[in-house]
Structure formats: structure tokens, C-alpha cells
Amino acid sequence: MGVVFSTTNSGINEQNNALIGRYETPIRMIIKNESDQCAKNDDLVKALFEVQKSKKFGESIVTENEFDLFTPTDEGGKAPNVTYKTVAEKFLKHTTFKSQFRITQEMMEDSLTNQITAKAEKHTRSYYRTRNLFASKLLSGALGGADGTNKTITFGSKSAQKTFDITTADGKALFSALHETGANRFYHILGSGVKISNAAVKAALSAGVEKIRNMKDETGYAMGYTADTIVIPGDDYPLEQAVKEVLGSEYGNGEGGVLSGSINIHYGNWTLVVDPLWVRADKTVHPIVVMSSQARRNLQAAIFFDRRPLTIRAHVDQETDDYIWNGSARMVGGFTTHKHACLFEILDNNTTVLLDKGVAGTSTESQLISL
């Protein structure tokens, strides 16, 4: 998303007109240039969500059942009518985000261009940081709590926060074991004194591949999507190292990256996203989110809507003669289904397990992965 300028310059009088004229265009250029640079690094939002534009108050995402198979008929037979119905609906309401920076009259009079430039650049970076952190929080917020109880997150600046829904269309948390298609959350408990192993990472990826491939549509057929994206937190380097060791060689490897000579089935099949804004609340839990980008796109499973891009409006405060630049944007993100992603948690030996158990002995029970 680019930046839109709506500069009114209300409040200008003869005394400050020259100062405003000297700084207005350079500030606009600084913001535009910084926005162009930040937009190139907007990859985190695009890696986690399908990004779309919106022209409405909010977006209602309706999911209909898949068509059944083609029916074999006799020669000259009629094609049967296909019945379909709405199976899920999710409404996402846009939220306005705002911020501003102030350039004092004294700063302009004294030509403090470095400070003025820094304010304009920081303001622009703050918008993109908000955008990326919002996307990160929507996903990572769905991990916490037992029984998929995390259904909302609070997000915003330190001075003001709002609550955002992170459930799917069935009203359950994204990583809940109570979805009708069964658990999409797995865990493995490390032995006493055992650190994160390549074997545990391989088990996570294999479990994710199998689960996503065999997710069923509403007619009961496996959808066959391929898991191709791994998301891990940026504050867990031991996990990052283990994942990169598993993915980084064409040949199989053991602990410490030692080659085994066998073929590495994970090589070249994954995009690794290390989310620097994802900070774990519990350092004894090492989460790996496995996704299918194709499922996310086809099912509209995780969507991030831009209603209004970063819009800049400038005016002069008539009481202080300060030059004030306001920035605002409208956006929202959320989930419609869980069928594009699953969660694998590697737990330290002393971790208190708070995981979905669903109904014991049924397919809704969280699955312990044995190595």
C-alpha cells in the first residue's frame, strides 16, 4: 500500500507562510520515500495473510460447500442439479489507526532539518511497524491458552488498545482441538535435559504436511493441499537453528547438521518465515506454525484487508503555530477457517502442559508426537 497525501494547511497566516512553504514539500518527499522503502519490506503481512483491498465498512467472507463429484450418467442423461449451501460466514470490521507528529515553529525557524527529517521518517516507519505487528499478533495470539480459549487479542499503542477477534468462522480459536475436522495442534515433550532436536523439527514438519494434506472439505473429501510455509518466533534461536539445519541441506542430516547421506525430503520445499515481532510469553514452549499458502489463498482462510492506506494530512495549530502532520489508515485482519495451518509445540521437560484435549479418545484430541 502506498501513501496518500491530503494536505489542507489550514491555519496558515502571513507570519508562518514562508516557513510552511519551505518545509511542506521536503517533508512530503521524505514520507513518500520512506513509505516506498518500507513497502518493499511488507513481506511479513503477505507471508501470513492474503492481502486485499476493501471499499466497504467491513467484509463478510462467506464459505460455501464444495461441489460433489461429477455423476456418471447414461447416454443422453441429464446433469443432476448441484446443491450447495453456506457452511460458514465471518464478518471483519475495519478499524481506524491514527498517529501524528509535531514540528514546532522554533524547529522550523532554527532550520533543525535533521530532527524534522527524523520525525517524518519515524512516523512513516511507525505505520508499517503497526501493520506488521498487527498481523503478527493475530497469528501468535491464537497460540495461547488451553482448550483454544484465546479468542481475542488486545492491540494498539501503550496509551490506547482495542480488542480484536481471532476466531475462525466456527467460533473456535484458530488452533483449537475442537474443530469438526479434528485437532490442528500437536506437541512433543522433550526429555529431561534434552534440547531442541532436528528429529523434533522433522516430526513437526511431517505432522504438518500430513494434517494439511488430509484436511477434508464439507463433502468429506481430502483437499490435498501442500504445506509450504513455516513460521517461527524471532526470539527462539535454538529453534531457528534446528529448523535451518533441517531445511538447509539437500541430503539428510542429524544433530548439529551432520550429513547422513540420505535424501532430505524437506530441502527446497519450504519458505521459512522468522517473525521478529513474535515474542513468546512462555520461553519453555518452542512453537512451529506450518501453513499451506495455496490453501490460505483458495479457502480465503487468513485475510488482511486494507480499507484506506496511510493517509497524511497536515495543518498548522493556530494556538502554537506548530506544523502538525496526522497519519491515519483503516485495516483489519482475521481468519475464516483453520484448514490452512497447524501448530506444533516442542515443550521443555518442565513445561506445564496446557493443550486442547477435546473429547478423550476421539479425533478432536490434541496429538502427542512420538519420535
Side-chain angles (χ1 to χ4, degrees), residues 78-91:
K78 293 183 179 180
N81 290 327
V82 176
T83 59
Y84 59 93
K85 62 180 180 179
T86 298
V87 295
E89 184 173 357
K90 183 72 176 182
F91 180 74

Side-chain angles (χ1 to χ4, degrees), residues 56 58-62 89-92 305:
K56 304 174 184 176
E59 292 286 346
S60 183
I61 301 94
V62 177
E89 184 173 357
K90 183 72 176 182
F91 180 74
L92 300 175
F305 286 109

Side-chain angles (χ1 to χ4, degrees), residues 4 18-20 29 42 161 263 281 289 326-327:
V4 176
L19 288 175
I20 298 303
M29 292 177 63
D42 202 31
Q161 296 194 339
I263 296 175
V289 175
N326 290 288

Side-chain angles (χ1 to χ4, degrees), residues 181-291:
T181 54
N184 62 336
R185 186 170 186 168
F186 311 87
Y187 65 98
H188 170 73
I189 303 176
L190 298 172
S192 179
V194 177
K195 297 181 179 180
I196 298 174
S197 65
N198 292 359
V201 171
K202 291 176 182 178
L205 301 185
S206 297
V209 168
E210 180 180 4
K211 183 63 181 180
I212 290 178
R213 178 185 296 153
N214 291 292
M215 283 284 189
K216 292 181 172 55
D217 62 22
E218 291 73 23
T219 57
Y221 298 110
M223 293 184 288
Y225 287 115
T226 300
D228 58 5
T229 304
I230 302 167
V231 186
I232 60 175
D235 69 338
D236 194 345
Y237 187 74
L239 175 61
E240 179 182 348
Q241 180 178 355
V243 172
K244 287 182 176 179
E245 286 179 356
V246 170
L247 302 182
S249 173
E250 184 176 355
Y251 302 100
N253 54 67
E255 302 309 315
V258 179
L259 296 179
S260 65
S262 61
I263 296 175
N264 181 10
I265 61 173
H266 297 293
Y267 178 75
N269 292 326
W270 296 94
T271 296
L272 174 61
V273 179
V274 182
D275 181 355
L277 302 175
W278 179 0
V279 179
R280 294 169 297 156
D282 186 348
K283 303 301 182 183
T284 66
V285 179
H286 312 280
I288 301 174
V289 175
V290 177
M291 293 183 180

Side-chain angles (χ1 to χ4, degrees), residues 32 39 80 101 115 123 132 147 158 181 211 233 247 254 263 267 275 278 306 311 320 336 364:
K32 178 65 168 61
F101 67 98
Q115 293 185 29
H123 179 75
N132 281 273
D147 300 321
K158 293 182 179 180
T181 54
K211 183 63 181 180
L247 302 182
I263 296 175
Y267 178 75
D275 181 355
W278 179 0
D306 285 304
T311 303
T320 65
T336 63
T364 62

